[in-house]
Amino acid sequence: MSKKFLYLFKEGHDAFGGDQTTMKNILGGKGAGLAEMTHAGMPVPQGFTITTEACTQYYADNREINEEIKADIFKYMGILEEQTGKTFGSVENPLLVSVRSGARQSMPGMMDTILNLGLNDQAVEGLAKKTDNPRFAYDCYRRFIQMYSDVVMELGKSFFEERIDAMKEKKGVTQDVDLTADDLKELVKEFKQIYREKQGSEFPQDPKEQLIGAVKAVFRSWDNPRANVYRKMNEIPYEWGTAVNVQQMAFGNSGMRSGTGVAFTRNPATGEKKLMGEYLINAQGEDVVAGIRTPSPISKLHEEMPDVYDQFVEIATRLENYYKDMQDMEFTIEDGKLFMLQTRNGKRTAQAALQIACDLVDEGVISEQTAVLRVEPKQLDTLLHPQFDAAALKAAQAIGKGLAASPGSACGRVVFSAEDAEEKVKDEAWKRVVLVRLETSPEDIVGMQVSQGILTVRGGMTSHAAVVARGMGTCCVSGCGNDNDVVIDYDAKTISINGHLFHEGDWMSIDGSTGNIYEGQIATVASTENANFKRFMAWADAARQMKVLTNADNPRDAQNAVDMGAEGIGLCRTEHMFFAEDRIKAVREMICARTVEERKTALAKVEPYQEADFTAMYRIMGDRPMTIRYLDPPLHEFLPTKPEEIEALAKDMGMTTEELNNVVVSLHEFNPMMGHRGCRLCVTYPEIAEMQTNAVVKAALKVSAETGKMITPHIMIPLVGEVKELKYVKDVVVKTADKLIAEAGVDMKYQIGTMIEIPRAALTAGQIAKEADFFSFGTNDLTQMTFGFSRDDAAKFLTAYYDTKIYESDPFQHLDQVGVGKLIKMAAHDGRETNPNLGLGICGEHGGDPSSVEFCHNVGLDYVSCSPYRVPIARLAAAQAAIKNPRK
């Protein structure tokens, strides 16, 4: 086989010349980190990485590991035996390994791990004799049987956990570490019996069979439900696959001078430059992240094992200096000896990301442009999340306190399972929920995603709940049972916190910045401005080459957008102004008019409202451009549908009910989104374009006179599919606008462009550009018409497309760069061939999606336009696109 699918840790760095991107792509993030730490001479238990490409091959081979890759796995196990002086499956000196996942991008807890692999009935006796520690040996064996049964054979954890709990109760102890060697031997027998009953066969004794089963299980976990949900949330492509790391075990559970832990070089919640972490004595890694026992802070290690602590601090400092970023590290101590199991760029909150980026610039470690690349655009959204109202919080009394695991404030109704969270939020009365659990597990990912906040009884700052919540930007308080009297009852669906009883549905408020827990509802307000935000965004704005505009339909939205840094309005949807109660009657009169004169009379009533709206928005926008889209939706949307409403409207308009019913029937369309709307309305009723032009130009003239700065109106004609359509409506606009400007005696310029939202418009863009000053790609409708999907109904079946991997994401959320993107690229090119000065932008919802923004930069658009609160996201995404691929 020509392709190399396996790499020893010690050869990973040199094989890829230390290129971090390539190493992560092939070896995965964990494998790349292990290779780099090994290269730097750090204490890493040796092993090898099975590449992400091997995972891809596994799926290509119908979820089987082919014989050549199997042969290489056993070959590399032979090398590992030579490196360690131990033998895989030996009775006298057994080599035990961990088998762990490692995707390119960190996916904490989403995929599977198997520890202590290589044990069997004979090897466990050898391990006990070799270490003179039977309790340790049988603790490893019972852990291995449980993990292998759960992960590889998919038997489930609960069967085994019930036996452990029963054994602890029988022996009168509360912690696993209090069980004796004999207790653990008995558990091993019981675990093997469970396996036999559930699987119908004996627990596998052949280490090679165990190894291949474990590797397949890790590959398989790339496609498990929780991993799929996490990938979709974080836009991680399915085709990337995961690497597998096979590594000699270091035993944190071998006694009181052993332990395991997780640490960060800086605080992942605040960004403070201070080592933060937790560890457990006499434990293995899953004990920390699963929250089974409450860990000690890393600072305490200085008291218990000062030499190990000093060595760890030195390594942590070296790793941060090497990667020039905050590191998330896993370590194990075996009989007083430190081993490093992982390093990666740590996940952090938005607040911490900004703090760390600014601090690293101030420390001279990275440049401003590098700092811009260190913050994920969508993280900025969490800065806008609500906080508790200060006055309301002052009156509230905390009834308990946990660990401040992920900042922000949350108020919701208590639910006790992820499944209940998913189901309850569909009910308007349960729109906000707080998920309360002993501890979360990867299976809870969807329920965590829909919850306002997460409260766990167990676990620390590096538990599953804490890490995943920080990545999602969700408020989380963990480990509330550590220092409080807490009793949770899943069957009764209750939790008591220091005597305060909550039932399912009761309101609870939690503060992920302080760890405080409150009864009832506490009012929330928009979050206060982050001190580093303006500084950081100034760096981003200096780097980007595209403008970021906003979609705004009223003065309130316009002001919000300006506050968020918008450089103009890329889409003002004028029909949204028609629905207000004080003007809908005039709009309906226009629709029901039987003659042009009646229609103009009705439109004359609407015009002052439109002019007032545009005037107010021009005043807010100042010299920023504002693109006004003319009436777009079909007219039936403005009319009532219920018989009693039709009757009342008919009476109000001096019509019979029958007459009004006839109008409603005449406007009925089988497919209104492809019917009589957009420019087609202006072709049929040019007086609509006349009225809207009057309103736009009069407002612009008025504000220009007030400010002394001449406004250039941008007028956008929607749904054009033929250049003659645009020409027809444009002539109406030009005639009306020129007359008003001439009467005013000023030299006002204006632009007339179109929305490219029909595939035919994209295909004939070169012709349409002859009549257009600008194109604005309406990617919502362009996606709808290109796919043939109704954006209102597609959600009903798209889930099946995600499950079958036909599509990885919703094309209405993330721009389809292959199909729709090709139309945009073609239209942009052909339009500029005809009109070199043609303005280009997009104004669909994709304008606030980071991957779509990057695409727009790469194809040469001038701007993106998005909703006001997504403006900072688009600004940062545009900056990152420009840094990664600067335009010439």
Side-chain angles (χ1 to χ4, degrees), residues 593-603 684-687:
R594 284 157 285 203
T595 65
V596 173
E597 289 72 24
E598 287 181 0
R599 191 171 299 110
K600 285 187 174 182
T601 299
L603 287 167
T684 310
Y685 308 121
E687 50 272 20

Side-chain angles (χ1 to χ4, degrees), residues 31 58 130 136 163 165 173 195 251 271 391 401 463 487 491 530 633 643 647 651 669 693 740 744 773 792 848 851 856:
Y58 163 81
K130 175 78 175 175
F136 155 67
R163 297 296 177 93
D165 290 340
V173 299
Y195 186 95
F251 298 105
K401 185 180 180 70
S463 65
V487 179
D491 293 332
N530 182 283
E647 186 176 347
K651 184 178 180 181
E669 294 179 305
T693 304
L740 289 170
D773 296 312
D792 298 316
S851 62
C856 293

Side-chain angles (χ1 to χ4, degrees), residues 37-38 114 181 239 356 426 448 453 468 479 483 507 518 522 617 627 641 710 713 735 747 779 819 887:
M37 287 193 293
T38 300
I114 300 94
E239 62 266 19
I356 292 169
K426 297 174 185 175
M448 295 173 72
V468 174
D483 299 307
W507 287 91
Y518 304 89
I522 299 179
M617 294 179 74
T627 301
T641 55
M710 191 60 66
K735 181 180 178 181
D747 183 22
T779 54
R887 294 176 182 172

Side-chain angles (χ1 to χ4, degrees), residues 46-47 191 211 306 412 445 471 537 619 639 682 723 748 838 885:
Q46 283 310 291
F191 283 9
L211 179 59
I445 183 68
M537 292 308 295
R619 284 172 178 155
L639 294 178
C682 292
V723 65
M748 175 180 277
L838 185 72
N885 184 24

